[in-house]
């Protein structure tokens, strides 16, 4: 039996459990050149909400009536290709079902790599933070770097590698515990609790000379507030806009766009997939910083196939403490 979570109903507003439907089907048969793999871990990313729209973003929309997609790791259980052997762990885009048919180009996980690390700081999450901060934000050691979503998967890496590089690093996150983590574990220079503090006033206090690099994970009203605090020649690395995803991304932009001209700002969006040539540098640096405990990383691992939709929703309430994963089973 192959358990599935199907994308059943297009959301009109916040995504909910009712947008997905549980089904059971036969186990698929891999063709020549393919392998059958059993799902072990799923990774969740807020932009998956944008894949539920009926327009193309950086990904084609997930078709209604098919299993929802997410990055993950599966284990090969039968193979019709010499490129993959039984027991291999493969990573990449998976679907919300027990059995995945994977092609011979599937990326094999190097033996011994812990899955949560591979899906976190040494995977797409770390790469996104690395590119956004250095290539897009062009952070220099004298800069003040501000990161929103700073206690989350991507933001926590971005904010800490800014600190490692000698920048003054300030993070914005929701809640006392997340801000405590930013100050005590991630060792940032400042933390702003946007759910309980006046962000505008706290930015004046913590970034008196302005923000040189804003690593933006949130978009929306927060972006508008931060734009008023950007320093001359500041750079905004637009990584994500989670505050707008549940509104179908049809929101107007900030009302203070003149700040871009007045302060000679650069705002640049980026998608990690376009920067795969940076993987070797990113893995080398991030691997060293993780091994030397220069950067702390939190992983939030939920369990159970039945909990896949509710785990996805945790990203939007902020219930996740760090990288949101779900374990369906440990590899054998
Ligand atoms: N450009 C790329 O290639 C790329 C790649 C990966 C991820 N991203 C983007 O990076 C961002 C972070 O993704 P992630 O995977 O690292 O997730 P994450 O930060 O681990 O989790 C999402 C966090 O967003 C915060 N949040 C939720 N709703 C919010 C709202 N309305 N206003 C402010 N904050 C809100 C919550 O933290 P609080 O408790 O602090 O509110 C939540 O924990 C997302 O925007 C994502 O789309 C971009």
């Amino acid at each position: 039996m192959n358990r599935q979570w199907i994308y059943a109903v297009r959301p009109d507003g916040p995504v909910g459990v009712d947008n997905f439907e549980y089904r059971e089907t036969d186990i698929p048969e891999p063709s020549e050149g393919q392998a059958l793999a059993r799902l072990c871990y799923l990774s969740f990313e807020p932009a998956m909400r944008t894949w539920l729209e009926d327009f193309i973003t950086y990904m084609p929309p997930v078709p209604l009536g098919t299993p929802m997609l997410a990055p993950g790791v599966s284990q090969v259980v039968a193979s019709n290709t010499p490129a993959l052997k039984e027991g291999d762990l493969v990573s990449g885009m998976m679907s919300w079902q027990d059995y995945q048919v994977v092609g011979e180009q599937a990326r094999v996980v190097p033996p011994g790599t812990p899955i949560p690390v591979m899906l976190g700081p040494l995977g797409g999450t770390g790469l996104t933070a690395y590119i956004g901060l250095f290539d897009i934000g062009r952070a220099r050691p004298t800069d003040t770097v501000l990161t929103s979503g700073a206690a989350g998967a991507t933001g926590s890496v971005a904010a800490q590698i800014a600190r490692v590089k000698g920048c003054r690093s300030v993070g914005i996150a929701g809640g006392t515990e997340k801000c405590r983590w930013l100050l005590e574990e991630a060792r940032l220079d400042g933390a702003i609790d946007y759910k309980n503090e006046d962000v505008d006033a706290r930015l004046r206090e913590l970034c008196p000379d302005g923000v040189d690099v804003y690593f933006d994970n949130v978009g929306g009203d927060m972006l508008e507030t931060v734009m008023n605090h950007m320093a001359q020649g500041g750079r905004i690395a637009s990584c994500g806009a989670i505050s707008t995803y549940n509104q179908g991304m049809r929101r107007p932009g900030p009302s203070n766009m003149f700040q871009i001209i007045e302060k000679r700002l650069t705002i640049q969006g980026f998608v990690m997939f376009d920067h795969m040539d940076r993987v070797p540098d990113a893995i080398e640096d991030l691997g060293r910083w993780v091994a030397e405990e220069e950067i702390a990383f939190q992983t939030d691992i939920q369990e159970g196939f039945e909990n896949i939709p509710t785990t996805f929703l945790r990203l939007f309430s902020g219930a996740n403490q760090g990288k949101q994963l779900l374990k369906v089973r440990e590899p054998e």
Side-chain angles (χ1 to χ4, degrees), residues 310-324:
T310 49
T311 300
F312 177 40
L313 301 188
R314 290 169 65 81
L315 296 171
F316 298 94
S317 64
N320 64 309
Q321 297 280 336
K323 179 68 199 169
Q324 185 67 72

Side-chain angles (χ1 to χ4, degrees), residues 45-46 128 152-154 174 178 194 217 239-241 245 270 272 315 320:
E45 209 273 78
T128 304
T154 311
K178 287 190 179 182
Y194 79 93
N217 286 311
C239 176
Y245 293 165
F270 68 100
M272 170 265 287
L315 296 171
N320 64 309

